[in-house]
């Protein structure tokens, strides 16, 4: 066991060693080598579902089998996730005959008979009095909202930089592995640091300098995600595709809603559901602050935006416009409000049927991602000029959507209203936290 390689250990689990992760495997072998090599810092980026965590479990197990007297640390985005990996690592060690100290049975803290301790931590967990010859940091960011929050990014970075990495022994190694989320995610922070080396493996080869020697456009593992699936992901959400799948997160400032808008003249003669997306101004004094309500009707997979009200008035003053739209055609209204707007929400909810306000999570850029995916897949349609549904509001809306970047946009109220309406009509995006009782399964009507 003291000479078992990571690849041999993976094979002993009945798995095929992942050739697409060979850079990670090579670095792991160097990190758990027999001789002290000084501190080593390595980052590795790979798309989702490509066995990075499974491989890291075997890296950790191989280290403990070869160095049963050395302490190790596993850090992940949550304590629960880190515990799950701890349990799996123990199973690997026990399966090949490694000796665990029977007196240490805590899921997050156990030891080898040789004295080496394994400790697992979630992001922000207190790490005191422990060290590690091998420190694995696996997926320190767990959600898009975390990645888009400057406060969360800074908190995670400070935890890694101030609490985790200082625990490294003089002959130890840190292996940081995660799917990219943001230019300022943990890997992004360490890119300029000369101590760190790393490799990014994109889902689709981009050029002749591909780390694996692939031809441009060749998928990483077509048995996991095909070229066709990857092309579809790119069309739906270029930001998500660039970060999660290509390891090259794009900074905000680029266009979010891509391509020419889908336009319609008449609505389909078919069952549909109606909902309203709302974004209300906190004050009418700021030129960029507008109240917006969009009527959105879903026919099959396509959402048609059939009416809009846009006015530079504060939320309570917009109540009559909301009531009028609701009287014309019934449907749930959704507003993502800030904490300071709860009073306005209470006022409107008492006066407008089917009005529901939800606490805003993340920011407008994050909330726009699902509707942007719908737009980029030609699943959101606006009236053409010859349509009876056309009005001046259409051009105002399309101009704002085309210009939206998520960085200090002059206007973003319509984008937020469209996001709310899209989420209301798209079950996968619906929040479970609503105000008041209602049946989320809005009945279909026929026109």
């Amino acid at each position: 066991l003291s000479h078992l390689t990571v690849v041999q250990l993976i094979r002993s689990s009945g798995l095929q060693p992942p050739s697409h992760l060979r850079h990670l495997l090579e670095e792991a072998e160097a990190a758990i080598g027999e001789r002290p090599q000084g501190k080593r810092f390595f980052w590795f980026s790979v798309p989702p579902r490509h066995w990075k965590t499974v491989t890291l479990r075997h890296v950790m197990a191989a280290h403990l089998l070869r160095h049963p007297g050395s302490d190790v640390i596993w850090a992940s985005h949550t304590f629960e996730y880190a515990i799950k990996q701890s349990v799996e690592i123990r199973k690997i060690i026990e399966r090949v005959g490694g000796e665990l100290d029977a007196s240490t049975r805590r899921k997050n803290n156990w030891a080898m008979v040789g004295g080496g301790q394994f400790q697992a931590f979630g992001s922000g967990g207190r790490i005191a009095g422990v060290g590690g010859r091998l420190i694995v940091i696996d997926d320190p960011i767990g959600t898009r909202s975390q990645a888009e929050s400057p406060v969360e990014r800074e908190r995670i970075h400070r935890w890694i930089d101030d609490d985790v990495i200082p625990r490294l022994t003089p002959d130890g190694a840190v292996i940081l592995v995660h799917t990219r989320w943001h230019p300022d995610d943990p890997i992004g922070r360490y890119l300029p640091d000369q101590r760190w080396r790393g490799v990014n493996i994109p889902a689709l080869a981009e050029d002749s300098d591909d780390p694996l020697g692939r031809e441009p456009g060749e998928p990483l593992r077509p048995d996991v995600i095909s070229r066709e699936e990857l092309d579809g992901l790119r069309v739906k959400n270029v930001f998500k595709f660039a970060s999660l799948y290509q390891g090259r997160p794009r900074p905000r400032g680029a266009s979010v809603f891509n391509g020419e808008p889908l336009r319609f003249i008449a609505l389909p003669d078919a069952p549909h559901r109606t909902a309203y997306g709302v974004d209300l101004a906190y004050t009418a004094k700021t030129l960029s602050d507008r109240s917006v309500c969009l009527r959105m009707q879903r026919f099959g997979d396509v959402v048609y935006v059939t009416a809009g009200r846009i006015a530079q008035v504060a939320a309570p003053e917009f109540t009559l416009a909301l009531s009028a739209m609701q009287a014309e055609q019934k449907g749930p209204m959704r507003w993502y409000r800030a904490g300071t707007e709860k009073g306005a929400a209470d006022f409107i909810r008492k006066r407008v049927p089917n009005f529901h306000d939800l606490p805003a999570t993340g920011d407008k850029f994050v909330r726009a991602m699902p509707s942007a995916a719908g737009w980029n897949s030609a699943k959101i349609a606006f009236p053409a000029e010859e349509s009876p549904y056309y009005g001046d509001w259409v051009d105002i809306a399309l101009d704002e959507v085309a210009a939206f970047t998520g960085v200090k946009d002059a206007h973003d109220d319509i984008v937020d209203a469209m996001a709310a309406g899209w989420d209301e009509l798209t079950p996968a995006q619906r929040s479970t936290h609503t105000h008041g009782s209602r049946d989320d399964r809005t009945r279909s009507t026929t026109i």
Side-chain angles (χ1 to χ4, degrees):
L1 296 180
S2 62
H3 298 286
L4 196 63
T5 68
V6 178
V7 168
Q8 289 170 337
L9 191 57
I10 291 173
R11 286 200 176 106
S12 74
S13 296
L15 303 173
Q16 184 68 27
S19 60
H20 61 288
L21 303 185
R22 61 174 178 262
H23 297 89
L24 175 59
L25 291 169
E26 290 168 2
E27 186 62 31
E29 285 297 340
I32 63 178
E34 299 299 329
R35 296 180 181 178
Q37 301 164 321
K39 293 183 178 180
R40 302 171 67 92
F41 301 88
F42 181 76
W43 61 262
F44 190 78
S45 169
V46 66
R49 296 166 46 200
H50 280 80
W51 303 304
K52 61 179 177 56
T53 300
V54 172
T55 302
L56 288 172
R57 289 178 199 151
H58 287 82
V59 169
M60 184 65 80
H63 183 280
L64 287 167
L65 290 166
R66 290 168 68 170
H67 305 284
S70 294
D71 296 337
V72 296
I73 293 173
W74 183 290
S76 293
H77 57 276
T78 62
F79 183 66
E80 292 75 17
Y81 185 77
I83 289 296
K84 178 180 178 181
Q85 309 317 317
S86 171
V87 171
E88 294 302 320
I89 292 166
R90 282 181 61 111
K91 289 179 181 178
I92 294 170
I93 293 173
E94 291 175 320
R95 180 176 47 74
V96 297
E99 296 184 273
L100 298 173
D101 184 343
S103 66
T104 57
R105 297 183 178 277
R106 295 176 63 183
K107 289 184 178 180
N108 69 312
N109 184 358
W110 44 270
M112 304 291 289
V113 166
Q117 287 194 71
F118 172 96
Q119 298 206 53
F121 298 91
S123 176
R126 183 172 179 268
I127 303 176
V130 299
R133 186 175 185 272
L134 175 63
I135 297 177
V136 168
I137 305 172
D138 175 42
D139 280 335
I141 291 180
T143 65
R144 171 60 68 184
S145 294
Q146 272 192 320
E148 291 295 339
S149 166
V151 173
E152 279 295 293
R153 291 198 307 271
E154 182 63 22
R155 180 188 67 80
I156 292 168
H157 176 69
R158 290 267 63 89
W159 180 67
I160 293 173
D161 216 39
D162 295 346
D163 294 346
V164 180
I165 292 179
R167 302 295 165 184
L168 187 64
T169 61
D171 63 336
V174 177
I175 299 179
L176 167 65
V177 181
H178 66 78
T179 296
R180 296 300 306 275
W181 290 92
H182 190 279
D184 190 43
D185 61 20
I187 288 177
R189 288 285 183 107
Y190 291 122
L191 279 174
D193 191 329
Q194 296 300 311
R195 297 179 305 164
W196 288 77
R197 298 176 302 105
V199 179
N200 173 57
I201 306 295
L204 278 179
E206 296 178 314
D207 49 46
S208 57
D209 295 328
D210 180 71
L212 299 177
R214 295 172 294 167
E215 292 296 320
E218 184 180 341
L220 182 57
R221 287 297 302 263
D223 57 324
V224 177
I225 307 180
S226 69
R227 170 67 186 271
E228 291 71 26
E229 289 178 281
L230 290 169
D231 286 341
L233 289 169
R234 176 162 45 193
V235 170
K236 287 181 180 179
N237 191 327
V238 67
F239 280 82
K240 180 178 178 179
F241 177 79
S243 58
L244 297 185
Y245 292 91
Q246 296 301 95
R248 303 189 190 282
R250 292 169 54 179
R252 296 188 189 185
S255 176
V256 176
F257 295 84
N258 300 302
E260 291 297 317
L262 183 65
R263 308 296 289 267
F264 72 92
I265 297 175
L267 295 177
D269 183 12
H272 69 275
R273 291 194 297 113
T274 298
Y276 294 86
V278 177
D279 189 53
L280 302 178
Y282 183 68
T283 173
K285 295 181 180 179
T286 305
L287 290 177
S288 61
D289 219 13
R290 301 178 299 190
S291 290
V292 178
C293 181
L294 299 178
R295 179 183 296 140
M296 302 171 69
Q297 298 176 276
R298 180 172 178 172
F299 294 80
D301 291 335
V302 178
V303 171
Y304 295 76
V305 185
T306 57
R309 300 282 195 281
I310 304 170
Q312 192 178 331
V313 296
E317 299 175 57
F318 203 59
T319 302
L320 289 178
L322 296 176
S323 297
M325 294 189 78
Q326 189 68 255
E328 292 170 5
Q329 191 154 359
K330 297 188 185 307
M333 290 182 165
R334 177 179 289 209
W335 176 30
Y336 291 125
R337 59 156 177 84
T340 54
E341 297 169 320
K342 190 175 185 306
D346 292 341
F347 176 87
I348 296 171
R349 203 180 321 112
K350 293 175 182 177
R351 293 162 175 80
V352 179
N354 270 337
F355 180 84
H356 308 284
D357 57 291
L358 304 178
T361 57
D363 60 15
K364 290 177 183 287
F365 180 86
V366 176
R367 292 195 296 276
M369 288 298 99
S371 59
W375 176 283
N376 296 337
S377 300
K379 296 193 185 307
I380 297 181
F382 276 79
E385 289 188 18
E386 57 269 41
S387 170
Y389 297 94
Y390 178 81
D392 291 343
W393 63 272
V394 173
D395 295 325
I396 297 172
L398 293 179
D399 285 346
E400 180 180 308
V401 169
F404 180 76
T405 66
V407 180
K408 298 180 180 178
D409 296 293
H411 297 289
D412 53 24
D413 320 284
I414 295 169
V415 168
D416 218 29
M418 189 168 72
W422 174 267
D423 291 352
E424 184 67 42
L425 288 170
T426 308
Q429 304 298 336
R430 288 181 184 169
S431 169
T432 57
H433 302 290
T434 59
H435 290 263
S437 61
R438 67 183 174 93
D439 183 358
D440 265 344
R441 300 164 297 174
T442 307
R443 286 187 175 86
S444 298
T445 58
T446 304
I447 56 174

